[in-house]
Amino acid sequence: MRKKKVGLIVNPIAGMGGRVGLKGTDGLETLKKAIELGAKPWAEDRAKEALKQLVHLKNKIELITYPKQMGEYTAISCCFSPKVIGTLSGSMTAAEDTKRAAREMRDLGVDLPLFVGGDGTARDIYDAIDEDLVVLGIPAGVKIYSAVYAATPTRAGELAALYLEGKIREVIEAEVMDIDEEKFREGKLSGGLYGYLRIPFQRGYLPGAKSPTSVSERYNQEEIAAEVIENMSDEYYYIIGPGTTTKAIMKRLNLDYCLLGVDLVYKKKLVGKDLNEATLLEKIRKKAKIIVTSIGGQGYIFGRGNQQISPRVIKEVGKDNINIVATKRKIEALHGRPLLVDTGDEELDKQLSGYYRVTVGYGEEIIYKVIYP
Amino acid sequence: MTMETNREAEVRGFHEAKWDEPIIFELSRKGERGISIPEVEKEIEEYVGDGVSVLPENMIRKKPPALPEIAQPRVVRHYLRLSQETLGADINVDIGQGTCTMKYNPKINDVLACSPKVTELHPLQNESTVQGALEIMYKLDLFLREISGFSRFTFQPGGGSHAIFTVASIIRAHHELNGEGDKRDEIITTLLSHPSNAAAPAVKGYKMITIYPNEDGLPDIEALKTAVSERTAGLIVTNPEDTAIFNPRIAEFTKIVHEVGGLCAYDQANANGIIGIVRAVDCGFDLGFFNLHKTFSSPHGCGGPAVGAVGVTEKLVDFLPVPIVDFNGEKYYLNYNVPHTIGKVREFYGVFPVALRAYAWIRSLGAEGIKEVARVAVLNNNYVMKKILKEVKGASVSFPKTKHRIEQVRYSWEQLMKDTGVTTEDVIRRMADFGFHLWTSHHPWIVPQPFTIEPTESYSKDELDEYIAALKKVTEEAYKNPKKVKNAPYRSAIHKIDPSPLNDPEKWAITWRAYLKKRKNWDE
């Protein structure tokens, strides 16, 4: 049997800001500040915890990594003899190194690149290899919003081992979130959906995805799409928000779409793709409905990743014409917590709070609470 | 592995048999037969015909069915081997299969049900020759009316989900008669009701609306108010729910649904904690059902033989499936004269041996004894809950703000998982090493890492203590050496199973034929 190739990419500066209260280490200036404040790298420790879970597979896998603190040191300290590729651009590794490492690993046919970092690292991986490979994140960031990371480094290692040994095969598309660290440091949480990475799935190993599901995510999305389409009326324009669940509707209608953007549909035909607030308002000529899903693990239906559906658009459409769709896995992962709105217009948020019918399957709805934080 | 016998140990030793036993279809050998059926004697054939030519041509198979061909002794060995690889209700303290009411079924009732007087009955026998059997069914109906407050029961449905399907059929027939059949296309249930409350009406074509619990674990009444409309056909709920939290506002729930013209149905499949204490009609329900194979003494599980006894209030009697067993003051008879009947949901009038066991069980207990069942079931449950929370590290109870639980508890291993990485499934596999069955819980898992324990009235304190001692041992191992639990089981027939094919319609197969068909497309 061919040895499975496992990649290891450590973002050595990930998480350093958190220890000194900086909420992230995006940007060199912040990093310098973090070091001045006495931040020590901890990504390597996190990587070790994960890698320890793979030691029993040492003879069955080939570990491929980048030089020095980007993986080589970790691998050696866990008694692996890694194949080290690439070169570092400088003493302080940058996003470019992460991206280059990911691309080189893809070209080498790595089966499962593991990356250690936070939201920024996930974005770099996504930029480099999109959904070409199955990957898995080992969490080392300050506050992680992306769903591509396992619950803990140990869980990451265990999940990777299960996947490499062929004990689990299910792969899901997990969200990479784009949180603006600048604003976050100012105490404002703003951000969006950046893209999706494919990760192995097993109940109990991912945060916010702890619950199992008896139907796979994809089939659940297809049945939701079938339900929505069956109830579409030619009287309405349909504003289709971002996310894989909502875009399953576009796929089923055989329409072109923008995964991370807002599309507009009328009489089951595409009116506009990737629209913003102004173009949405301009194109809608009569009654409209908004179809949204919750973005990210916190359960936001407005204000995260779909800001194009602005307070003006929502007011124009009206609360009664909001149709929330969500897979059962997404709802279960909330463990009973309500869905959230944060449109930036507090008065509107207040109005939007209450109970909604949420479409969770074909002929299946739940009554779920929406609140504003 | 050798294992010393140690009667002093708190947790007993156990080792399951393991056979490399193929699936029965793989055992088939062409031409092999279990029973050699003699040729029909000429005189008989002349009298009754050959038995085949009377059938219409299009009903006669061109090819014989692809059934396994196996000699009798090999069949016996096959199933005995499989039986050694299970942890059945009569071999372990079966309290870990919460919500399923795995209680002890007195063997005397099996003896009655297995008597030739019962097994030799034929459902097409003339009524005059089965008066005793009909009397038992009629009187069982009377007993269940007393317990529930309903006006009439049918025993036709062959199980709990089938009973829910029957309930949904009656709800539809009722609205159709009122000219609202098409308009009322939604049925409401709650998340922590039994999942079949949502599944069976969906088969009937209903759109399902599910109410989530509030933070106390109770169905959110405000959500119900959002859910009801002129499209509401009915409400089908379990109470206490699968968490064993009893909804004290249930009468308000049924009132809200009645106000919009819907009917209310009570899933009392598991009535073990409230039997003789709470009556369905007093909560405002129009119809409902009991699983005779859960609460009333028939063995439960593996798809029957079973009875989901559906009861209705007076206004719905005319919709019941036919026939119903009736009495005209002189004799018992099968009554087909039900004006708006939904027809049949199954052949004949129900699984008689199951009805007989239920009848015998009720008679042996009497009214006070039945109440005692509920009281002891609740007492056992609360004893186990207190002990688990006190002694088993890493376990917690869901919705802790709500103190009272009826007959079972939905617990969580969330803390254990956080502390050790050991999941509910890991604990389950390790429990099997001590000869105990444990399962997770119905989906969806809004309670993280769930498990549900239902002690019923059947087990002694010593047995409950032994079960808890095993849980304790497993969690102690988890805190000391999580790998030990994660790699379990060590003494069971089957190790870990990859569940992912269950999520893949290309992989799963519920028949041998489907398996052979799909197998061709698998990569490996």
Side-chain angles (χ1 to χ4, degrees):
Chain A
M1 215 173 82
R2 181 180 78 85
K3 270 192 180 180
K4 288 263 167 77
K5 291 181 186 169
V6 183
L8 178 68
I9 303 169
V10 181
N11 171 9
I13 59 165
M16 281 172 67
R19 296 252 168 120
V20 289
L22 279 180
K23 301 181 183 163
T25 40
D26 284 2
L28 275 177
E29 277 309 307
T30 317
L31 178 62
K32 278 184 190 153
K33 198 169 171 192
I35 292 169
E36 276 167 28
L37 287 167
K40 296 255 181 316
W42 72 315
E44 194 176 319
D45 294 342
R46 309 282 280 176
K48 274 185 210 164
E49 280 175 51
L51 214 54
K52 268 190 239 163
Q53 310 305 320
L54 293 173
V55 169
H56 68 285
L57 295 174
K58 212 163 76 177
N59 299 325
K60 293 184 190 153
I61 57 176
E62 183 183 2
L63 189 67
I64 298 173
T65 187
Y66 240 51
K68 299 182 184 172
Q69 64 270 38
M70 274 197 74
E72 185 183 3
Y73 293 160
T74 311
I76 290 171
S77 73
C78 290
C79 304
F80 279 89
S81 315
K83 177 174 172 184
V84 181
I85 58 169
T87 47
L88 302 185
S89 54
S91 61
M92 206 173 274
T93 66
E96 207 35 59
D97 290 324
T98 304
K99 290 181 194 171
R100 206 172 54 247
R103 275 192 293 264
E104 284 173 23
M105 285 186 188
R106 177 188 56 197
D107 298 343
L108 281 171
V110 169
D111 296 282
L112 181 70
L114 303 171
F115 57 94
V116 188
D119 286 317
T121 319
R123 291 198 294 273
D124 293 338
I125 299 286
Y126 170 77
D127 285 342
I129 57 175
D130 206 329
E131 294 194 46
D132 291 353
L133 295 182
V134 176
V135 301
L136 182 62
I138 298 163
V142 175
K143 176 81 182 142
I144 294 177
Y145 290 92
S146 299
V148 297
Y149 288 93
T152 63
T154 308
R155 288 299 95 73
E158 288 167 353
L159 182 58
L162 289 172
Y163 181 73
L164 292 164
E165 290 175 288
K167 287 182 180 167
I168 56 161
R169 297 189 191 89
E170 191 168 359
V171 169
I172 58 166
E173 289 171 314
E175 294 151 333
V176 177
M177 297 298 284
D178 182 16
I179 301 290
D180 184 334
E181 284 193 0
E182 273 298 319
K183 287 197 177 149
F184 188 43
R185 273 192 285 273
E186 289 163 18
K188 289 180 201 149
L189 189 58
S190 98
L193 176 63
Y194 193 76
Y196 289 86
L197 285 170
R198 290 164 66 219
I199 62 164
F201 174 74
Q202 168 78 341
R203 61 187 86 167
Y205 289 83
L206 308 169
K210 282 172 192 158
S211 6
T213 170
S214 56
V215 280
S216 77
E217 193 81 341
R218 189 161 50 90
Y219 288 101
N220 196 185
Q221 288 171 345
E222 279 179 25
E223 54 168 334
I224 291 169
E227 174 70 22
V228 169
I229 292 167
E230 217 172 276
N231 291 305
M232 274 187 168
S233 146
D234 286 352
E235 301 291 303
Y236 287 88
Y237 278 80
Y238 289 88
I239 299 168
I240 313 283
T244 51
T245 307
T246 40
K247 298 307 168 170
I249 299 163
M250 302 299 282
K251 277 191 206 167
R252 206 177 166 88
L253 287 170
N254 278 323
L255 300 178
D256 191 13
Y257 62 90
C258 175
L259 180 61
L260 308 178
V262 175
D263 305 323
L264 190 64
V265 171
Y266 181 61
K267 292 188 173 175
K268 295 181 183 166
K269 297 272 179 298
L270 184 70
V271 179
K273 203 176 87 168
D274 199 10
L275 303 176
N276 56 29
E277 179 191 31
T279 44
L280 271 173
L281 290 170
E282 179 201 309
K283 284 183 193 291
I284 297 171
R285 301 199 185 283
K286 51 162 117 176
K287 291 184 292 184
K289 284 182 188 277
I290 295 171
I291 299 177
V292 280
T293 190
S294 74
I295 303 286
Q298 279 73 35
Y300 281 94
I301 53 164
F302 289 118
R304 297 287 179 279
N306 56 11
Q307 285 91 335
Q308 304 93 316
I309 309 174
S310 64
R312 259 186 78 196
V313 174
I314 297 168
K315 282 178 192 161
E316 190 78 20
V317 171
K319 184 183 174 185
D320 291 345
N321 288 320
I322 295 168
N323 183 359
I324 306 169
V325 298
T327 60
K328 290 171 184 171
R329 192 177 67 88
K330 269 272 169 95
I331 296 290
E332 281 174 25
L334 294 172
H335 290 310
R337 292 192 311 274
L339 290 165
L340 303 167
V341 285
D342 181 17
T343 60
D345 175 337
E346 204 175 327
E347 200 44 48
L348 178 64
D349 288 348
K350 214 177 277 177
Q351 284 169 25
L352 289 175
S353 303
Y355 291 88
Y356 285 77
R357 284 177 170 237
V358 177
T359 305
V360 295
Y362 184 74
E364 278 184 90
E365 289 180 350
I366 59 171
I367 309 291
Y368 213 80
K369 208 176 188 171
V370 172
I371 61 164
Y372 66 101
Chain B
M1 186 193 290
T2 56
M3 206 164 58
E4 299 293 327
T5 298
N6 177 7
R7 301 219 195 290
E8 303 305 313
E10 232 183 320
V11 179
R12 85 179 66 215
F14 165 76
H15 202 301
E16 199 167 39
K18 176 166 183 165
W19 298 89
D20 275 336
E21 189 64 12
I23 284 173
I24 191 139
F25 287 94
E26 295 171 296
L27 289 171
S28 181
R29 299 280 175 276
K30 207 169 170 45
E32 209 170 288
R33 285 291 176 272
I35 306 166
S36 301
I37 299 167
E39 291 286 315
V40 180
E41 287 162 45
K42 209 164 175 47
E43 298 90 310
I44 292 174
E45 191 171 337
E46 272 166 16
Y47 192 73
V48 299
D50 63 4
V52 174
S53 51
V54 291
L55 293 172
E57 184 60 29
N58 61 354
M59 285 184 71
I60 298 172
R61 278 180 174 276
K62 302 286 176 287
K63 268 195 330 198
L67 295 171
E69 301 173 67
I70 314 173
Q72 210 173 75
R74 291 216 294 139
V75 173
V76 171
R77 278 192 289 275
H78 174 70
Y79 285 107
L80 276 177
R81 284 170 188 166
L82 295 188
S83 76
Q84 291 184 342
E85 296 186 319
T86 66
L87 274 176
D90 275 347
I91 206 168
N92 89 112
V93 176
D94 211 3
I95 66 173
Q97 182 74 22
T99 78
C100 288
T101 321
M102 304 304 288
K103 58 193 207 174
Y104 182 70
N105 305 294
K107 295 300 168 217
I108 181 66
N109 298 338
D110 279 346
V111 172
L112 294 175
C114 294
S115 138
K117 286 183 184 172
V118 175
T119 57
E120 295 301 308
L121 288 179
H122 193 284
L124 290 176
Q125 258 174 264
N126 188 293
E127 283 165 11
S128 65
T129 66
V130 288
Q131 284 294 301
L134 293 177
E135 183 182 349
I136 284 170
M137 296 188 92
Y138 183 78
K139 289 189 171 164
L140 176 61
D141 178 4
L142 297 182
F143 290 151
L144 296 184
R145 291 183 207 179
E146 192 62 30
I147 292 169
S148 63
F150 288 133
S151 303
R152 198 74 197 238
F153 274 82
T154 173
F155 303 125
Q156 207 173 70
S161 299
H162 199 182
I164 301 164
F165 180 82
T166 307
V167 160
S169 301
I170 293 172
I171 290 174
R172 169 157 297 167
H174 167 84
H175 292 309
E176 271 172 2
L177 192 71
N178 294 335
E180 294 189 320
D182 292 334
K183 190 179 100 182
R184 295 191 179 270
D185 63 348
E186 293 181 351
I187 283 185
I188 301 164
T189 187
T190 64
L191 185 78
L192 293 165
S193 283
H194 191 281
S196 288
N197 289 166
V203 173
K204 193 75 194 164
Y206 278 111
K207 183 167 188 172
M208 292 309 304
I209 316 294
T210 301
I211 308 287
Y212 264 62
N214 63 19
E215 54 194 19
D216 299 327
L218 290 163
D220 191 333
I221 199 160
E222 296 306 317
L224 178 72
K225 288 175 189 165
T226 309
V228 292
S229 70
E230 71 283 353
R231 289 179 66 181
T232 304
L235 171 83
I236 306 181
V237 290
T238 312
N239 189 34
E241 296 192 314
D242 280 359
T243 47
I245 294 174
F246 188 87
N247 178 3
R249 298 176 75 179
I250 190 66
E252 288 175 64
F253 272 63
T254 52
K255 189 162 170 263
I256 289 167
V257 174
H258 284 148
E259 277 168 1
V260 297
L263 291 174
C264 298
Y266 197 171
D267 174 346
Q268 287 194 280
N270 173 2
N272 221 40
I274 53 170
I275 185 173
I277 314 274
V278 176
R279 292 196 329 156
V281 287
D282 299 335
C283 304
F285 286 102
D286 306 294
L287 68 171
F289 70 98
F290 295 114
N291 279 4
L292 300 188
H293 50 287
K294 266 188 174 174
T295 313
F296 295 89
S297 179
S298 266
H300 174 223
C302 305
V307 170
V310 173
V312 295
T313 48
E314 198 57 46
K315 67 176 176 189
L316 296 174
V317 171
D318 284 351
F319 296 97
L320 283 173
V322 287
I324 46 180
V325 181
D326 231 325
F327 183 56
N328 64 11
E330 282 179 21
K331 66 180 183 73
Y332 298 93
Y333 67 103
L334 298 173
N335 182 359
Y336 287 85
N337 186 19
V338 180
H340 308 299
T341 178
I342 57 166
K344 279 181 173 295
V345 291
R346 194 175 197 267
E347 68 278 19
F348 309 116
Y349 32 76
V351 182
F352 175 63
V354 173
L356 173 67
R357 284 188 189 90
Y359 175 82
W361 188 76
I362 292 170
R363 289 296 304 268
S364 67
L365 288 165
E368 202 40 49
I370 282 178
K371 282 185 190 170
E372 188 68 6
V373 165
R375 290 187 189 121
V376 176
V378 174
L379 179 68
N380 277 355
N381 181 48
N382 282 278
Y383 171 73
V384 169
M385 176 167 73
K386 291 266 150 46
K387 199 158 169 160
I388 285 180
L389 294 180
K390 201 169 149 203
E391 296 182 11
V392 181
K393 196 175 169 191
S396 59
V397 61
S398 58
F399 307 108
K401 275 204 240 162
T402 304
K403 298 285 174 222
H404 295 288
R405 294 296 191 279
I406 308 289
E407 84 292 13
Q408 59 196 353
V409 174
R410 179 140 310 165
Y411 299 91
S412 169
W413 290 124
E414 188 180 19
Q415 194 57 47
L416 183 79
M417 165 88 180
K418 275 188 190 149
D419 294 344
T420 68
V422 167
T423 66
T424 182
E425 282 146 332
D426 297 330
V427 175
I428 285 167
R429 287 195 311 274
R430 184 61 178 143
M431 282 294 278
D433 282 334
F434 302 108
F436 288 125
H437 171 66
L438 177 63
W439 82 303
T440 55
S441 288
H442 290 306
H443 296 194
W445 284 7
I446 61 158
V447 174
Q449 301 299 317
F451 65 110
T452 308
I453 289 184
E454 182 184 7
T456 78
E457 76 282 15
S458 295
Y459 297 100
S460 69
K461 181 177 168 297
D462 285 348
E463 286 169 317
L464 299 175
D465 286 342
E466 189 188 330
Y467 195 94
I468 297 165
L471 282 176
K472 208 170 142 185
K473 185 167 172 63
V474 173
T475 50
E476 279 167 5
E477 284 177 351
Y479 278 96
K480 226 180 279 166
N481 178 11
K483 282 253 150 51
K484 173 127 193 188
V485 182
K486 289 186 95 55
N487 291 333
Y490 304 94
R491 305 192 293 230
S492 293
I494 293 170
H495 202 70
K496 286 184 188 174
I497 298 172
D498 170 21
S500 60
L502 293 174
N503 288 337
D504 184 355
E506 304 302 320
K507 291 273 169 69
W508 74 51
I510 54 168
T511 64
W512 181 249
R513 190 157 69 162
Y515 165 75
L516 292 178
K517 220 159 135 187
K518 290 181 180 179
R519 186 78 185 82
K520 285 183 203 153
N521 302 325
W522 294 0
D523 339 310
E524 38 191 279

